[in-house]
Amino acid sequence: MESPQAKWQLLGLAVIFYLTGSILLFDYFDTTITSLGGIPVLVAAYFFGVPGGLLASFIVIISNTLLITMIKEIPWNLLNKNDFVLSSFILLTIGGSVGIMRKRYEEHQHTVAQLRSRERFLELLNDMAHAITTAQSFEEMANILTNDITTLLNADSCYITRWDPIKEQVFPVANNNKTDWAFQKLKYPKGEINLTIMALQENRILVVEDPTNSPYVSPTLIHNFPEKSFISIPLIYGEHKLGAAIVGFSERHQFTQEELDRAGQAGNQIALAVWNLQQETELQRGLREMQSLADISLALSETERIGLSNVLHLIVRSAKELIVNSEQAVIHLLNEKDQTLVSEAVIGYKEQEGGKRSIRIGEGVAGQVILSGETINIADVRTDPRFIRLGVDPAYRSLLVTPVRSGEQKLGTISIQSSQPYAFTPNDLKLLSQLGTQAAIAIENANLLENTKQALKEANALYRINKGLVASLDPHDLLQDTVELLQKNFGYHYVQIYVADPDSGNFVMRAGSGKVGAQLKSREHQLAPGEGIVGYTAETGAAFFTNNVDDVVSFIRNPLLPDTKSELAVPVKIGQVTLGLLDIHQVPPKYLSQRDLQLVSAVADQLAVALQKADLYETLQTSLQQEKAVRNQLMQNERLTVMGRLLATVSHELNNPLQAIQNALFLLKEETNISPQGKQDLDIVLAESERMANMIGRLRDTYRPTHAEDFQPTQLNNIVEDVYALVSTHFRHNQIEFEFQPDPEIPFISALADQIRQVVLNLLMNASEAMTNGGRIHVCTEYKKDTGEVMLTVSDTGPGIPPKILPTIFEAFVTDKQSGTGLGLTITYDIVMKHRGRITAENNREKGATFKVWLPITNGEIL
């Protein structure tokens, strides 16, 4: 730009040059005239160039000529002087020369100004390039660019926009307008014309000197901008349309070609910079994706150590960090039992929105994805018909959901959300699908690990159960061990085993886990065929399980098991014979699966074999015991027969001399000269001989043959009372309490009354003799309607029967008394057997012993 000082310096030089030349070449007159005429020539040539200088020269020459003509004193011949002609030529020369000098000076000044402007432009471009290369982020670079472009074009403001070819929409990026309005929040309506779209379409710089009447911008959009004129510079790199730089002027502005050229150069520089930065951003994003996927892959290899939950949280965190517009991410896993999707890993939600949520298959976008197996990208939840609005608008606008599956198996979904509409691109979809694949691998690894652990656990449990079944031969222990092992090793809520009762046909609970099992067993809990799931399984003969017992018509809830939600019943069978039923109960959140059915069925098969083995062993043991009992009975009968014959012979042989002794004693008693002491001794001898005679009589009665007519209706309660009356004095002397609890409804029995009286007497005397320091005898009678028997029970509080003689207590000569013969219980046993009855002896839990005698109402065949 030319300075005013330079102009006046040039004019002064021209005047000095002209005046000096005139003084040297002409006399005073000519000099004066030429000088006075040359001044306007110089001025005209300086301000108007060569044409102005020449025109002024001609005017001065003509003016001088007229002046000379008009002055009388100047002769006309002076016009022909050479000096006048020369001065006129000099004027013309000066006028033209100064005009040329002025033009050359202006050209020089313009060239200098252009060079300086170009230099400044290049400096600004260089500054822009430096700022672009050193910017730490796209936002920082965009802010620098807006200031540099504004300075470069002597503008007032600059706006940078971004073109999204996928969404086909313009988005604001940065601006340096100092007004309060927020350009970054400006919404560019999709499909509405604007400076960015038009500049990119026409691939050239657009000039808008009057935006109110411009075909390049929408009137509804331009009113947001305070500027009066714009140029829109398209940012295009190769075939890639990136956006636009819109430069604004606060006043109406007419744009020169130079400004447009510079704007084009700046646009190319910015487009290159934006493209490079975009590629670098994509590269960095790719590196982050690779690193995140590598981290996830590493985590997948350590799923056992860090757990599935941590791996899934790592995946949703990666989704939120890698996908630019993602604000929330969630992984839903499919619950096959309920056929619902349950959130397992969530990030980006508010704390109050936490917790696991479930979505039914087919409901919601995630439910649609798991049903169809296809990815769904909701660009705007407010306009997309696939998104079902439930009253209140959601906080997000965009939703991207892709399935998580392994082959054809559907495992769940992974979703991301954004508050911006049209937030997600095909690249985002591709990345989310990769993350979904990683999630599927994590789930498969966890399932495989869990299945392996479960298989090992099941194998170990089956081994332990099988080992226990093989080792146990007691059916009761066998059943209880099985239910306890199943509950402990597999975490079932309750396990029980039912066994069929051959008499009633019902299924009786023989073993149950925990306290509930003990209570049900003590109550002899049982189910009729067809009653409950157990009864249903028994009728069908096939295993059955359900995870919703309330839906089963035959289900009967046990009050002790109020929380049961799932039940599994498996028959325990050998061939077609059902030995029992294995019943499993489970409560939420756990449930039963096909795997549980297989496991319990395997246990039921092992249990069936073990029960059959135990049954065979028990049958064998029972047979051996019966054979031993029969053999012992035969031996006992033989001993009793021999002893009976011996006692009959002895009693017969003793009876004759005893009668002779008694007769002699009666004769002596009639003598009158016996002293009082002798008479007293004689009475004692007579009493003892009488007692001996009675005992011999009873022995003869016991072992003599009996006949049906000898058995008479006998009331057992009366016999007990008669015997107590006989021994009551003896009990009082020995401080023995007697308690009798008769059954008032007891019927008469067919018996030999004297012999039954002997049985009661023997049992009471044995009990009293066992309690040397006093005690209590409890006697009761009871009618057993189901067996047609009357039971007599005699219990004492003595020391009990020594264990070593308890098994042979009823054999002859077996006793723990120092003065006993060991025949009292043998005779008692023989009398009971003669009446077709039974007798047992056992020790009480605390102290003392109990004898029980069962006597039939009818005697049947007489021995």
Side-chain angles (χ1 to χ4, degrees):
M1 182 178 294
E2 185 178 4
S3 64
Q5 185 179 4
K7 291 181 179 180
W8 294 113
Q9 288 175 354
L10 178 61
L11 180 59
L13 289 174
V15 171
I16 291 170
F17 167 74
Y18 175 71
L19 293 177
T20 303
S22 300
I23 294 171
L24 293 175
L25 294 175
F26 305 105
D27 55 18
Y28 172 78
F29 179 80
D30 294 329
T31 301
T32 301
I33 295 176
T34 304
S35 299
L36 292 175
I39 291 174
V41 171
L42 290 174
V43 173
Y46 180 79
F47 285 102
F48 299 103
V50 174
L54 293 178
L55 179 61
S57 298
F58 281 114
I59 293 174
V60 170
I61 291 171
I62 294 172
S63 298
N64 287 340
T65 303
L66 293 176
L67 180 62
I68 293 171
T69 305
M70 293 173 62
I71 297 175
K72 303 292 186 180
E73 291 82 6
I74 301 175
W76 287 104
N77 57 1
L78 291 177
L79 292 173
N80 295 321
K81 284 185 175 182
N82 292 331
D83 292 340
F84 181 80
V85 175
L86 180 60
S87 63
S88 298
F89 175 76
I90 290 173
L91 284 174
L92 290 173
T93 302
I94 291 300
S97 299
V98 172
I100 292 172
M101 289 174 62
R102 169 64 180 176
K103 181 178 180 181
R104 295 291 175 82
Y105 176 76
E106 288 182 348
E107 290 178 350
H108 172 73
Q109 289 295 102
H110 180 69
T111 302
V112 171
Q114 283 186 328
L115 290 175
R116 288 179 179 176
S117 176
R118 183 66 178 174
E119 182 181 0
R120 177 59 179 162
F121 175 73
L122 293 176
E123 288 179 357
L124 288 174
L125 285 181
N126 184 59
D127 291 342
M128 290 172 59
H130 178 72
I132 292 170
T133 56
T134 58
Q136 299 297 321
S137 64
F138 183 79
E139 291 75 12
E140 180 183 350
M141 182 198 72
N143 291 329
I144 294 174
L145 288 178
T146 56
N147 292 326
D148 288 345
I149 295 174
T150 302
T151 303
L152 191 68
L153 299 179
N154 293 320
D156 297 299
S157 60
C158 178
Y159 304 89
I160 295 181
T161 59
R162 177 176 62 88
W163 168 250
D164 191 330
I166 297 174
K167 300 176 183 178
E168 296 184 346
Q169 195 169 3
V170 176
F171 295 96
V173 175
N175 75 297
N176 63 348
N177 192 306
K178 304 304 181 182
T179 58
D180 294 335
W181 78 288
F183 169 69
Q184 280 78 4
K185 296 182 180 180
L186 180 66
K187 302 297 182 182
Y188 281 85
K190 189 176 182 180
E192 189 172 325
I193 61 172
N194 55 69
L195 289 175
T196 300
I197 292 177
M198 299 307 295
L200 291 174
Q201 286 181 354
E202 299 193 12
N203 193 14
R204 66 182 179 87
I205 297 175
L206 298 182
V207 175
V208 180
E209 294 180 354
D210 184 7
T212 58
N213 297 315
S214 174
Y216 300 134
V217 64
S218 168
T220 59
L221 184 63
I222 198 61
H223 79 276
N224 294 295
F225 296 85
E227 290 80 8
K228 303 300 183 181
S229 297
F230 298 92
I231 57 172
S232 179
I233 307 170
L235 303 180
I236 300 175
Y237 181 80
E239 299 297 326
H240 305 282
K241 297 180 179 180
L242 307 176
I246 302 171
V247 182
F249 297 83
S250 59
E251 301 296 335
R252 293 288 178 88
H253 186 79
Q254 292 184 349
F255 299 96
T256 65
Q257 187 61 43
E258 182 180 6
E259 289 176 330
L260 298 180
D261 292 341
R262 290 185 177 183
Q265 294 180 29
N268 293 334
Q269 186 79 5
I270 296 171
L272 176 60
V274 171
W275 173 255
N276 289 337
L277 187 58
Q278 183 172 316
Q279 293 304 303
E280 182 179 356
T281 302
E282 290 296 324
L283 178 60
Q284 293 297 328
R285 178 182 177 183
L287 291 175
R288 290 198 306 272
E289 291 178 4
M290 292 177 61
Q291 183 61 45
S292 296
L293 294 176
D295 293 341
I296 294 173
S297 298
L298 179 61
L300 291 177
S301 65
E302 298 179 348
T303 302
E304 179 181 2
R305 181 178 62 83
I306 66 177
L308 175 61
S309 178
N310 289 331
V311 175
L312 295 181
H313 277 86
L314 174 61
I315 291 173
V316 296
R317 186 166 63 250
S318 299
K320 182 175 180 296
E321 292 175 354
L322 295 177
I323 299 177
V324 177
N325 294 319
S326 176
E327 298 169 2
Q328 296 94 24
V330 58
I331 290 179
H332 289 90
L333 296 187
L334 178 62
N335 186 331
E336 295 182 356
K337 178 177 71 73
D338 296 334
Q339 288 296 290
T340 58
L341 289 169
V342 180
S343 59
E344 291 294 339
V346 178
I347 190 171
Y349 290 89
K350 296 180 181 178
E351 184 176 354
Q352 61 268 27
E353 297 176 351
K356 293 188 175 182
R357 299 178 177 180
S358 59
I359 303 172
R360 293 192 175 276
I361 292 181
E363 296 179 358
V365 178
Q368 298 175 44
V369 168
I370 198 67
L371 186 64
S372 65
E374 301 294 334
T375 299
I376 294 180
N377 185 6
I378 303 293
D380 191 344
V381 297
R382 298 180 183 177
T383 59
D384 197 309
R386 293 173 296 179
F387 184 83
I388 301 175
R389 298 171 62 187
L390 301 175
V392 181
D393 288 335
Y396 56 87
R397 292 287 298 275
S398 298
L399 175 64
L400 178 60
V401 186
T402 190
V404 176
R405 57 188 177 187
S406 176
E408 296 300 322
Q409 183 182 7
K410 300 174 181 177
L411 304 176
T413 63
I414 179 170
S415 311
I416 54 175
Q417 300 171 359
S418 175
S419 60
Q420 303 177 17
Y422 298 90
F424 305 121
T425 67
N427 289 333
D428 297 334
L429 190 154
K430 181 180 179 181
L431 176 58
L432 193 64
S433 297
Q434 291 178 336
L435 293 174
T437 301
Q438 300 294 330
I441 295 173
I443 296 169
E444 285 293 292
N445 288 348
N447 290 340
L448 180 61
L449 178 62
E450 185 64 26
N451 290 337
T452 302
K453 287 182 177 179
Q454 185 69 13
L456 291 174
K457 182 179 178 182
E458 291 175 1
N460 181 54
L462 288 174
Y463 169 76
R464 293 181 60 187
I465 292 174
N466 187 52
K467 184 178 179 181
L469 296 180
V470 170
S472 178
L473 293 174
D474 186 344
H476 301 290
D477 293 342
L478 185 64
L479 298 179
Q480 192 62 38
D481 289 345
T482 300
V483 298
E484 297 294 348
L485 283 171
L486 278 173
Q487 185 189 41
K488 180 179 179 181
N489 286 276
F490 298 102
Y492 296 132
H493 177 64
Y494 175 69
V495 182
Q496 60 184 353
I497 296 177
Y498 287 84
V499 175
D501 185 353
D503 296 329
S504 64
N506 292 341
F507 293 92
V508 183
M509 202 279 284
R510 295 299 187 193
S513 61
K515 295 181 179 179
V516 175
Q519 293 183 43
L520 292 177
K521 186 177 180 181
S522 65
R523 299 177 185 178
E524 297 185 353
H525 178 67
Q526 54 186 289
L527 294 172
E531 185 179 6
I533 292 178
V534 171
Y536 172 80
T537 303
E539 280 192 336
T540 60
F544 175 83
F545 83 93
T546 177
N547 282 309
N548 190 0
V549 293
D550 297 325
D551 292 342
V552 180
V553 177
S554 61
F555 174 72
I556 300 176
R557 186 172 294 281
N558 192 311
L560 296 178
L561 299 166
D563 299 326
T564 295
K565 186 68 174 179
S566 305
E567 185 173 357
L568 165 62
V570 177
V572 180
K573 298 194 301 183
I574 293 292
Q576 298 300 319
V577 179
T578 300
L579 304 178
L581 292 126
L582 184 55
D583 187 38
I584 308 293
H585 290 242
Q586 192 59 281
V587 297
K590 296 182 180 179
Y591 62 93
L592 300 172
S593 64
Q594 194 69 27
R595 186 160 191 159
D596 293 301
L597 175 61
Q598 297 173 357
L599 170 67
V600 177
S601 298
V603 174
D605 292 340
Q606 293 185 4
L607 181 60
V609 174
L611 281 175
Q612 186 182 44
K613 181 192 71 172
D615 185 59
L616 292 174
Y617 177 77
E618 186 177 19
T619 302
L620 178 61
Q621 290 297 107
T622 302
S623 299
L624 290 175
Q625 291 177 359
Q626 290 177 349
E627 189 272 336
K628 182 179 179 180
V630 170
R631 186 171 65 250
N632 291 337
Q633 183 65 41
L634 291 175
M635 293 176 62
Q636 178 73 359
N637 290 340
E638 185 177 356
R639 285 196 298 269
L640 290 175
T641 300
V642 172
M643 186 181 68
R645 291 172 181 173
L646 176 62
L647 290 176
T649 301
V650 170
S651 63
H652 178 73
E653 293 298 329
L654 290 177
N655 187 54
N656 291 332
L658 182 59
Q659 287 184 354
I661 293 172
Q662 283 182 319
N663 290 334
L665 291 173
F666 279 119
L667 291 175
L668 287 174
K669 188 177 181 181
E670 296 298 327
E671 295 290 335
T672 57
N673 56 351
I674 299 176
S675 64
Q677 181 64 41
K679 188 175 182 179
Q680 183 179 359
D681 294 338
L682 183 60
D683 289 338
I684 293 173
V685 173
L686 281 172
E688 291 300 319
S689 63
E690 183 67 25
R691 190 169 69 86
M692 187 179 296
N694 290 335
M695 184 181 67
I696 291 173
R698 287 195 300 272
L699 286 174
R700 294 177 63 185
D701 290 341
T702 299
Y703 291 102
R704 73 179 181 180
T706 56
H707 304 282
E709 58 271 15
D710 296 332
F711 287 82
Q712 299 297 325
T714 304
Q715 174 54 255
L716 184 59
N717 290 341
N718 294 338
I719 290 178
V720 174
E721 291 175 351
D722 291 344
V723 172
Y724 173 66
L726 182 64
V727 299
S728 59
T729 302
H730 176 74
F731 283 179
R732 285 196 302 272
H733 290 165
N734 291 276
Q735 299 180 351
I736 296 174
E737 298 178 6
F738 179 78
E739 180 183 352
F740 180 39
Q741 186 178 353
D743 184 353
E745 297 181 358
I746 189 173
F748 285 82
I749 60 173
S750 180
L752 300 172
D754 290 339
Q755 293 191 9
I756 297 302
R757 188 175 289 106
Q758 183 67 43
V759 169
V760 176
L761 178 62
N762 287 348
L763 293 177
L764 293 181
M765 291 305 296
N766 275 348
S768 66
E769 292 172 359
M771 297 181 291
T772 57
N773 296 321
R776 183 172 61 86
I777 297 176
H778 177 79
V779 178
C780 69
T781 56
E782 183 181 357
Y783 175 41
K784 299 291 185 180
K785 294 182 181 181
D786 53 342
T787 60
E789 294 175 311
V790 172
M791 184 179 73
L792 170 69
T793 303
V794 179
S795 298
D796 62 65
T797 59
I801 305 170
K804 64 179 181 179
I805 68 172
L806 181 60
T808 58
I809 190 67
F810 295 111
E811 294 183 8
F813 311 113
V814 175
T815 182
D816 62 338
K817 302 174 185 177
Q818 296 296 329
S819 59
T821 61
L823 294 176
L825 289 178
T826 302
I827 293 173
T828 299
Y829 180 84
D830 195 32
I831 292 172
V832 173
M833 292 299 105
K834 182 183 291 186
H835 284 75
R836 293 289 185 179
R838 294 173 290 131
I839 183 172
T840 62
E842 60 184 7
N843 286 319
N844 300 331
R845 288 185 177 181
E846 296 181 356
K847 60 179 180 177
T850 298
F851 286 83
K852 294 181 180 179
V853 178
W854 292 268
L855 296 171
I857 297 176
T858 56
N859 63 305
E861 183 181 353
I862 304 303
L863 290 174

